[in-house]
Amino acid sequence: MFNKRVKISTLLTSATAGDQVTVMGWVRTFRNNQFIALNDGSTNNNIQVVAELGKFDDNLLKRLTTGASVKVTGEVVPSIGKGQSVEIKAGAIEILGDSDPEKYPLQPKKHSLEFLREIAHLRFRTNTFGSVFRIRHSLAFAVHKFFNEKGFVYMHTPVITASDAEGAGEMFRVTTLDLDKLPRTEDGAVNFKEDFFGRSTNLTVSGQLEGELAAMAFSEIYTFGPTFRAENSNTARHLAEFWMIEPEMAFHDLEDNMNLAEEFIKYIIRYVMEHNADDLTFLTQRLAEEEKQKPQNERSEMGLIEKLEFVVNNAFERITYTEAIDILLQSPAYKKKKFQYEVKWGVDMQSEHERYLVEKHFKKPVIVTNYPAEIKSFYMRLNEDGKTVAAMDILAPGIGEIVGGSQREERLDVLEEKMKKLGVPAEELWWYLDTRRFGSVPHAGFGLGFERMVLFVTGMGNIRDVIPFPRTPKNAEF
Ligand code: ATP
Ligand code: MN
């Protein structure tokens, strides 16, 4: 029976000498024909299993290779070796699955992250990815815990949609049409009437519009699901498939929205600090090692845990877009012509500008509000000045934009006019406009890119390393 198995994390924290236990896992290393370092993914800490010399058959010992899976039954004894308080004196060892050491790609040494991406199906078995994905799990759990405690309703918005929330391209089409024999209309266009849904459909880029519909009944909802963007930007911050958390709240204005977002971010970070101490310690050391390779002036001033502590214990800076542009225009970087992209009121801030504000100027997360209406989406609420909207982006050190949100335009006439101006088809969004026709209320919401949050908390440098199987341009392996 497998259920008698003890998890290694439990064993290391609560077993006492003399206990008879069964553990199962994968061999990390086997030294001196005697010491097995066994890992089952419950923690980065291996349990040491001691196979007393002479007690086990040579044929069995030969099969204890890196990557092999085994079942061990034995007695918990105090450990004299360093690094662990207890170990297991093996009574019985059973090989569950062999692993040919000549062919197994994961050797007990440091592999590059690039190489591990090519063997993403096995990289879970490394310490780094063990820690990253246990933290990813904790963050996801904390997201639900936070909103559940606040009485938000978890809404599942559709993955296949006929609308484009952003009013922009970058979408993946969903179709069952035969691409070699596309049905055509009389004027030669593809006839989507013959497609599965009788219309052209895409993978969702955001659940916001549907989320707003639900908020108009439940007051406070959130979504947490996959979103898809066919953006051909090969950066360390963009994926074609990523997970987004989108709360949407009736009776909230921009300030309520900012307060919620800040509280939320701090809550989920704190949860990880409380529940994944070992993993954070490991990643902090890992990052410190990496930083040592960098020139002095590029190293970050804080270690990973220190940075997280700083973020949960300090208020985020809050500035308007106009103030942000002024700071950039006054900056030494601007005066020395260090920015590649233009800085002036009205431009969309580029990542170099965001990073300057967050990493050089304020050295903490920054919430930028009230962006020019022209560079933001149609649904954002127009401010009194008639030229800015009640938008807010949260920028994080090392990441850039982590949250994008706004108070939504609840006034039907203003919204319709804006849609006309931006060419957003009102006929297709009749259901969205209905919320403004029937009991419209001030409301707000935001989207947090889950992988960007995982990046921030784990200190990893590339978004491909915080999602199990990344989807990026020209890459959909596994
Ligand atoms: P960016 O300017 O970084 O491309 P965006 O303005 O397109 O972001 P939004 O449309 O506001 O982003 O999406 C909300 C959040 O989703 C962002 O703040 C970010 O955290 C995340 N996000 C957006 N695009 C991606 C992507 N391609 N991969 C991973 N996360 C993303
Ligand atoms: Mn984008």
Side-chain angles (χ1 to χ4, degrees):
M1 181 160 107
F2 280 115
N3 289 337
K4 285 259 167 72
R5 175 178 77 98
V6 184
K7 285 204 186 194
I8 291 171
S9 58
T10 313
L11 191 78
L12 289 174
T13 49
S14 48
T16 45
D19 288 356
Q20 281 292 325
V21 293
T22 298
V23 290
M24 296 177 213
W26 293 266
V27 175
R28 283 287 173 88
T29 57
F30 182 44
R31 289 183 301 116
N32 299 352
N33 229 17
Q34 221 184 141
F35 304 108
I36 310 168
L38 197 68
N39 190 283
D40 66 359
S42 58
T43 160
N44 268 352
N45 304 315
N46 304 321
I47 183 78
Q48 171 154 289
V49 175
V50 185
E52 275 177 288
L53 289 172
K55 182 166 175 182
F56 296 93
D57 191 66
D58 267 352
N59 284 327
L60 177 88
L61 297 178
K62 266 195 216 115
R63 293 167 66 198
L64 290 170
T65 55
T66 299
S69 51
V70 297
K71 171 181 178 181
V72 174
T73 302
E75 185 187 338
V76 175
V77 294
S79 177
I80 38 173
K82 46 176 191 328
Q84 69 264 333
S85 59
V86 292
E87 59 189 30
I88 297 176
K89 199 169 127 192
I93 299 174
E94 184 187 331
I95 308 278
L96 298 174
D98 288 287
S99 171
D100 182 343
E102 300 290 314
K103 296 192 181 132
Y104 188 56
L106 270 183
Q107 294 306 313
K109 61 160 201 180
K110 198 169 163 63
H111 292 291
S112 75
L113 295 174
E114 289 77 14
F115 170 72
L116 291 172
R117 249 170 250 154
E118 288 166 20
I119 52 161
H121 59 306
L122 294 172
R123 66 179 178 169
F124 296 125
R125 297 189 190 184
T126 64
N127 282 337
T128 298
F129 289 96
S131 288
V132 165
F133 290 114
R134 275 188 299 271
I135 288 177
R136 185 181 165 110
H137 159 79
S138 286
L139 279 170
F141 186 79
V143 166
H144 289 298
K145 190 162 150 37
F146 175 82
F147 287 118
N148 187 54
E149 281 167 9
K150 286 202 171 292
F152 281 54
V153 174
Y154 178 31
M155 263 306 136
H156 294 104
T157 50
V159 169
I160 299 174
T161 93
S163 78
D164 167 8
E166 305 292 321
E170 298 181 348
M171 292 190 296
F172 289 100
R173 178 152 272 155
V174 174
T175 182
T176 53
L177 291 177
D178 181 346
L179 297 184
D180 295 322
K181 280 189 294 213
L182 286 173
R184 301 279 172 183
T185 59
E186 267 163 28
D187 52 11
V190 176
N191 186 3
F192 285 105
K193 288 220 172 71
E194 292 191 22
D195 204 349
F196 189 90
F197 296 104
R199 60 195 298 179
S200 138
T201 48
N202 309 288
L203 292 178
T204 183
V205 294
S206 156
Q208 181 201 317
L209 299 190
E210 289 91 352
E212 281 187 57
L213 310 180
M216 292 304 109
F218 298 99
S219 299
E220 290 157 334
I221 66 98
Y222 70 105
T223 73
F224 185 179
T227 43
F228 308 85
R229 295 190 188 177
E231 42 197 354
N232 214 343
S233 46
N234 239 320
T235 77
R237 308 273 171 268
H238 290 90
L239 290 163
E241 175 180 300
F242 64 100
W243 288 67
M244 188 139 70
I245 296 137
E246 295 180 281
E248 196 66 40
M249 301 81 66
F251 322 115
H252 277 57
D253 64 11
L254 188 67
E255 196 183 345
D256 299 319
N257 202 20
M258 286 191 274
N259 291 344
L260 182 82
E262 183 169 341
E263 186 189 345
F264 170 59
I265 289 172
K266 289 175 172 174
Y267 180 99
I268 61 179
I269 294 176
R270 211 172 274 128
Y271 184 88
V272 169
M273 294 174 79
E274 282 164 15
H275 293 84
N276 297 77
D278 283 354
D279 291 319
L280 278 181
T281 301
F282 174 81
L283 290 172
T284 299
Q285 282 160 358
R286 181 190 170 279
L287 194 62
E289 292 288 317
E290 264 199 358
E291 292 270 308
K292 278 192 207 149
Q293 318 291 325
K294 292 186 188 165
Q296 194 85 42
N297 63 339
E298 283 175 29
R299 293 184 200 166
S300 47
E301 288 164 30
M302 290 185 210
L304 177 61
I305 292 179
E306 206 183 343
K307 176 188 85 176
L308 298 177
E309 266 162 8
F310 179 84
V311 168
V312 299
N313 291 324
N314 288 281
F316 294 3
E317 195 66 38
R318 299 183 184 194
I319 57 168
T320 65
Y321 168 89
T322 305
E323 286 165 345
I325 293 292
D326 283 343
I327 291 169
L328 292 172
L329 289 173
Q330 300 301 324
S331 69
Y334 178 78
K335 290 179 180 155
K336 288 190 205 140
K337 299 197 164 42
K338 289 243 174 89
F339 293 132
Q340 194 186 336
Y341 293 91
E342 193 183 16
V343 182
K344 68 168 193 210
W345 202 94
V347 300
D348 206 357
M349 276 192 278
Q350 298 295 317
S351 144
E352 56 176 355
H353 308 133
E354 298 178 343
R355 296 190 75 149
Y356 178 84
L357 289 172
V358 170
E359 286 155 35
K360 295 273 184 319
H361 192 82
F362 290 111
K363 298 185 195 283
K364 55 153 90 166
V366 178
I367 312 185
V368 183
T369 57
N370 301 318
Y371 284 79
E374 274 80 39
I375 59 172
K376 290 288 184 186
S377 303
F378 75 92
Y379 48 72
M380 298 191 179
R381 192 177 197 278
L382 192 64
N383 287 325
E384 297 285 293
D385 62 12
K387 55 178 191 170
T388 61
V389 286
M392 62 120 183
D393 280 5
I394 302 186
L395 315 175
I399 309 286
E401 182 186 330
I402 195 161
V403 162
S406 68
Q407 184 172 341
R408 318 304 191 191
E409 184 56 76
E410 84 283 13
R411 298 161 295 187
L412 182 63
D413 53 335
V414 184
L415 184 58
E416 281 180 328
E417 197 179 315
K418 183 74 147 309
M419 289 169 75
K420 207 178 288 165
K421 210 163 126 192
L422 296 179
V424 182
E427 326 75 66
E428 274 180 37
L429 290 179
W430 62 272
W431 44 271
Y432 182 69
L433 290 169
D434 260 6
T435 56
R436 276 64 171 173
R437 291 191 182 103
F438 311 118
S440 189
V441 296
H443 64 290
F446 62 84
L448 173 122
F450 187 56
E451 285 73 20
R452 298 219 182 147
M453 192 66 213
V454 184
L455 268 182
F456 186 71
V457 175
T458 58
M460 298 296 284
N462 194 312
I463 201 161
R464 291 164 180 79
D465 296 329
V466 298
I467 188 165
F469 302 105
R471 300 293 180 247
T472 51
K474 303 279 177 283
N475 173 42
E477 188 73 36
F478 307 108

